Amino acid sequence: MTSATREEIDQRVAELLQQMTLEEKIGQLALIQGAGGHVSHDVAESVRSGRIGAVLNEVDPGTNRELQRIAREESRLGIPLLIGRDVIHGFKTVFPIPLGQAATWHPELVEHGAHVSAIEATATGVNWTFAPMLDIGRDPRWGRVAECLGEDPHLASVLGAAMVHGFQGENLAEPGRIAACAKHFAGYGASESGRDYNTTNIPEGELRNVHLPPFRAALNAGAATVMTSFSDLNGVPATANALLLRTILREEWGFDGFVVSDWDSVRQLAVHGLTADDRDSAYEAASAGCDMEMASTTYAEHLASLVHEGRITPAHVDAMTANVLRVKFRLGLFDATDEEVTLPEALNVEHLRAAYEAAAESVVLLKNSDALLPLNPAALRSVAVIGPLADDAHEQLGTWIFDGDTGATRTILPSIRLAVGPECTVHHARALETSRSRNHDGFAEAVAAAEQSEVAILVLGEESILSGEAHCRADIGLPGAQDALIDAIAATGTPIVLIVMAGRALALESVVDKVQAILYAWHPGTMGGPAIADLLMGVVSPSGRLPVTMPRVLGQIPIYHAHKNTGKPVTPASFTYIDHIQPRAHQVSVGNTSFHLDVDPSPLYPFGYGLTYSTVVYDTITVSASTVPMDGTVTIAAEVVNTGAREVSEVAQLYLRDLVGSVTRPVRELKGFTKVRLLPGERRTVHFVLSADDLAFVGRDGQRRAEPGHFHAWIGGDANATLRTEFSLVASATSLH
Ligand code: NOJ
């Protein structure tokens, strides 16, 4: 399958445009909901007459074949359809939620998962997914953090690009590939108070330094389409935001795919109060650079008359249409042959294996007192498996699993049974009907199960409906009576392994001391059960790392590793806890530094954190030069040693601090990471090569560039890494020393 060049495609687009009427062009800008498993008269007529260019949420293969046949054979110009679907973390085979995939810190694994999803989706005729979601997730109240790739621009950039490659490959026209959609452009993650669809106010420098890099990386990886965000950005909703859609996306980045609105977000411009009516909304969105309208129909209703009135030029509509057609050509839709291509079946052994590996690498071991884990199945004679999420085929799949096959789900309970074998008695108690239940009726059975067991495995957290779009929480503790359940089980004295399934980082300070071990499993997908059982039994060693900072309590939010220093940073000596303040203390007696009186200022667990069943030590950090010219590179290296007795996969992370900037810089920024396998006793050197571009940021003058000055660099296993070196970046070439 050869890919057409940009020139060849532009030529074909231009020829097609010449033959199209204004109505047919506007038709290419319409994305409407399918009828759901059949070709309705209305949809067929719209396709036939060229009034629809794209359909979403139709996954019946026969229906999609028929829709494409009508488009190709019965519409005047035979323009095929885009068929879009939210293929977010798998199709039939469900992978961990994106936040869980981010916890793998393993781009190849993430890429492979997206490829598997694309293969399964294309079998239904879907040729376009609304993924990856690249919003920066720094507020776990926001339900959509489940869909994002974490809090960090670098991690999200690398993994987002990997997803794009996985969906699209090198050539979109290849069988088993689908067009990706980088969403939601942009700033959605900053929705105030973590409430979905809420307003965002983001200074342009912050927007460019924090929120936009993952989009840039996804487009560099070839993402064919971009979706606007629902949110209002600095007073102009993203769907009508020309700074985003025209200046940045087209003029600065040279994007030549198309921009689609989010569901109804063109019509919602009036609800935001930016426009008076649908006609104005169509005008604002189209002129700002939103090419295709999802769900609402303001373009279909008003674009033609806006052109006739001269408010929108015919050339502008041509450009919008060309953007869409270019993607259709890239997908090879015009060149489809009848040749049968056999792709692997959904849910085949290899796909399940991929989902297993992703699940196994996504789980983060947060605590393991007295090396409780791994359990030894040969010696274990009794185990309690407790909790509403231990054996629930639906809940472990997470949000956005429209096509996921719950029949294929492998849950934890049977996987543990299999792992421990017949010599070990497994006492099971659901304890709570759902993760939200407040009723204690099931506690007695759970307590009895724990009392009869050597170890209690509690599978708690959030059911899938508590995260995802429009599912935000104002309290991010364990819901319902789960805290009380932990207390009841802890009172038995049986050691507890807490497995948390959740769509976000929960605030768990109140429970960490009551349990001996914690495995944070996000929503691990189809193969979560076997993956977690193997982690529990030590068949594999945990290698997941936190893609977000874990708060102790809700009030710390937002808490993220790349924060600014402030003029009065807290130090251990300057922190005063509320209980230690003397009655009638003098105003300044607690010191004037930046902290809350009622919580330790550190996170519960830092970004990048995760334990293994071995011990890993970093030493001997080196820098290739203490003075680095702007046009040069600097290599920072360290030795990483597995000092324990088990093989591990360690995620070596590079953090940097730019000490002085024309605008203040974060105390640490992630600049590189690599996952390395180490045998017991093995020592390896990890290298990170940085150029000035890696050090660049948008400064006070609005320009993105690296600024000369001094940098600190750390290599280690999380954002608290202590092994440090330093170097200076100098404006002109000087000799290295
Ligand atoms: C709304 C969501 O915000 C977006 O992420 C999704 O792709 C579309 N609906 C289509 O379902």
Side-chain angles (χ1 to χ4, degrees):
M1 186 89 24
T2 55
S3 56
T5 63
R6 167 78 203 255
E7 290 69 34
E8 285 163 355
I9 287 178
D10 279 349
Q11 175 69 30
R12 293 179 75 179
V13 167
E15 283 164 13
L16 191 52
L17 271 177
Q18 276 183 356
Q19 303 169 54
M20 294 172 80
T21 63
L22 179 61
E23 283 65 30
E24 283 166 335
K25 291 172 189 168
I26 293 169
Q28 289 302 306
L29 312 179
L31 168 60
I32 58 102
Q33 168 90 334
H38 68 283
V39 181
S40 70
H41 176 76
D42 283 359
V43 173
E45 248 330 284
S46 300
V47 173
R48 198 170 284 124
S49 58
R51 276 182 281 122
I52 288 178
V55 170
L56 82 159
N57 295 337
E58 188 54 78
V59 288
D60 174 57
T63 305
N64 282 335
R65 256 196 312 277
E66 177 60 4
L67 286 170
Q68 287 292 27
R69 192 199 62 73
I70 297 172
R72 289 198 174 104
E73 295 173 13
E74 297 182 14
S75 74
R76 193 177 74 88
L77 294 168
I79 303 175
L81 295 168
L82 285 165
I83 300 179
R85 181 66 159 174
D86 287 289
V87 183
I88 306 295
H89 55 109
F91 194 70
K92 294 252 180 281
T93 306
V94 179
F95 287 76
I97 54 170
L99 190 58
Q101 292 190 46
T104 68
W105 293 60
H106 193 158
E108 293 77 16
L109 204 68
V110 170
E111 175 173 344
H112 186 53
H115 188 195
V116 165
S117 317
I119 289 172
E120 293 192 353
T122 50
T124 66
V126 166
N127 51 30
W128 179 27
T129 175
F130 304 123
M133 201 263 228
L134 300 168
D135 302 308
I136 294 296
R138 292 184 171 177
D139 190 332
R141 291 171 296 186
W142 190 43
R144 302 202 80 168
V145 288
E147 299 172 56
C148 81
L149 296 167
E151 73 178 36
D152 184 80
H154 180 71
L155 182 64
S157 295
V158 174
L159 299 181
M163 271 195 187
V164 171
H165 280 303
F167 288 129
Q168 299 195 164
E170 289 303 316
N171 175 7
L172 257 181
E174 203 178 81
R177 299 295 183 175
I178 54 180
C181 184
K183 74 184 187 186
H184 305 86
F185 199 62
Y188 195 16
S191 295
E192 284 179 358
S193 78
R195 181 159 57 75
D196 209 1
Y197 316 126
N198 206 359
T199 305
T200 74
N201 283 299
I202 311 172
E204 192 174 326
E206 171 96 353
L207 181 74
R208 289 177 180 271
N209 288 332
V210 175
H211 297 269
L212 297 187
F215 288 91
R216 185 78 201 259
L219 298 190
N220 288 344
T225 74
V226 168
M227 186 189 295
T228 67
S229 170
F230 282 124
S231 44
D232 178 341
L233 174 66
N234 303 331
V236 183
T239 302
N241 195 305
L243 169 68
L244 287 176
L245 305 183
R246 192 178 325 128
T247 311
I248 295 176
L249 203 53
R250 302 285 180 190
E251 292 166 13
E252 295 180 20
W253 296 356
F255 177 60
D256 69 356
F258 71 85
V259 175
V260 61
S261 79
D262 203 340
W263 186 279
D264 239 1
S265 71
V266 178
R267 194 188 322 264
Q268 287 162 13
L269 294 173
V271 185
H272 278 282
L274 186 82
T275 59
D277 51 30
D278 283 0
R279 184 178 176 74
D280 256 6
S281 298
Y283 170 76
E284 289 288 346
S287 48
C290 175
D291 301 308
M292 183 184 279
E293 181 175 10
M294 185 195 296
S296 55
T297 52
T298 71
Y299 285 8
E301 284 155 29
H302 302 288
L303 268 192
S305 68
L306 286 165
V307 171
H308 297 318
E309 264 177 24
R311 286 183 75 197
I312 287 187
T313 64
H316 190 74
V317 176
D318 281 3
M320 294 165 78
T321 313
N323 292 337
V324 174
L325 293 176
R326 216 174 280 124
V327 172
K328 292 189 173 184
F329 277 108
R330 282 193 185 131
L331 274 164
L333 297 180
F334 288 90
D335 309 312
T337 60
D338 291 337
E339 201 181 304
E340 285 283 316
V341 184
T342 317
L343 286 169
E345 291 279 312
L347 293 165
N348 68 57
V349 175
E350 276 175 32
H351 291 188
L352 293 173
R353 177 82 206 165
Y356 164 86
E357 278 166 11
E361 291 199 31
S362 72
V363 177
V364 186
L365 178 64
L366 293 176
K367 176 173 181 178
N368 194 15
S369 297
D370 304 325
L372 176 61
L373 294 177
L375 304 173
N376 178 0
L380 205 61
R381 288 293 163 268
S382 57
V383 57
V385 180
I386 297 169
L389 302 176
D391 192 25
D392 195 308
H394 172 76
E395 302 303 353
Q396 74 181 49
L397 299 186
T399 185
W400 286 116
I401 44 116
F402 292 150
D403 306 289
D405 186 341
T406 47
T409 303
R410 307 267 303 273
T411 61
I412 294 184
L413 177 66
S415 305
I416 288 179
R417 283 211 167 100
L418 209 62
V420 295
E423 302 298 310
C424 175
T425 309
V426 178
H427 301 282
H428 171 234
R430 192 174 174 103
L432 293 160
E433 184 47 36
T434 72
S435 70
R436 291 163 286 151
S437 306
R438 296 207 169 84
N439 185 321
H440 292 206
D441 289 355
F443 280 24
E445 189 195 5
V447 166
E451 278 168 343
Q452 294 166 61
S453 301
E454 293 158 53
V455 59
I457 298 170
L458 266 62
V459 192
L460 303 179
E462 294 179 323
E463 58 208 277
S464 55
I465 195 71
L466 298 186
S467 59
E469 185 180 348
H471 295 84
C472 304
R473 296 183 60 206
D475 174 355
I476 55 163
L478 286 168
Q482 295 186 58
D483 275 290
L485 176 65
I486 293 174
D487 287 341
I489 304 299
T492 66
T494 303
I496 297 176
V497 178
L498 174 64
I499 296 170
V500 182
M501 289 191 186
R504 53 168 61 79
L506 297 170
L508 293 179
E509 184 172 54
S510 63
V511 301
V512 275
D513 292 340
K514 298 174 188 163
V515 302
Q516 282 62 46
I518 305 177
L519 282 168
Y520 211 88
W522 319 101
H523 287 127
T526 306
M527 295 299 283
I532 290 167
D534 283 353
L535 288 163
L536 286 168
M537 307 303 157
V539 178
V540 284
S541 177
S543 68
R545 296 288 185 275
L546 290 177
V548 285
T549 303
M550 288 201 75
R552 293 174 182 277
V553 297
L554 178 73
Q556 287 182 302
I557 294 169
I559 182 168
Y560 50 92
H561 77 94
H563 63 85
K564 299 289 187 69
N565 203 33
T566 79
K568 291 171 178 281
V570 66
T571 56
S574 66
F575 170 63
T576 311
Y577 188 62
I578 196 163
D579 292 359
H580 304 141
I581 303 172
Q582 296 302 318
R584 286 169 294 285
H586 184 261
Q587 157 91 31
V588 295
S589 62
V590 297
N592 288 341
T593 62
S594 181
F595 61 85
H596 299 106
L597 287 173
D598 43 7
V599 63
D600 182 302
S602 65
L604 187 57
Y605 297 106
F607 175 78
Y609 180 80
L611 301 169
T612 68
Y613 293 151
S614 194
T615 44
V616 171
V617 169
Y618 288 81
D619 63 39
T620 332
I621 191 164
T622 58
V623 61
S624 58
S626 57
T627 307
V628 181
M630 272 295 169
D631 56 358
T633 59
V634 58
T635 302
I636 298 154
E639 306 265 294
V640 48
V641 198
N642 180 354
T643 53
R646 297 179 67 104
E647 184 177 339
V648 290
S649 284
E650 170 67 8
V651 181
Q653 302 159 39
L654 169 72
Y655 293 90
L656 226 64
R657 179 167 183 186
D658 185 345
L659 296 188
V660 180
S662 64
V663 293
T664 54
R665 310 296 303 128
V667 294
R668 284 193 184 193
E669 290 180 282
L670 180 73
K671 290 292 177 182
F673 63 91
T674 177
K675 200 163 191 172
V676 284
R677 281 192 94 72
L678 295 168
L679 295 170
E682 190 176 348
R683 169 181 286 269
R684 283 239 225 140
T685 308
V686 290
H687 297 93
F688 299 95
V689 182
L690 301 175
S691 68
D693 190 56
D694 298 305
L695 310 178
F697 61 95
V698 175
R700 206 181 307 180
D701 61 1
Q703 299 304 308
R704 184 180 180 277
R705 67 168 82 85
E707 296 180 0
H710 205 63
F711 291 78
H712 285 171
W714 297 260
I715 293 179
D718 61 47
N720 287 347
T722 51
L723 191 65
R724 194 184 93 186
T725 185
E726 48 199 274
F727 64 92
S728 293
L729 186 69
V730 292
S732 55
T734 53
S735 58
L736 306 183
H737 46 141

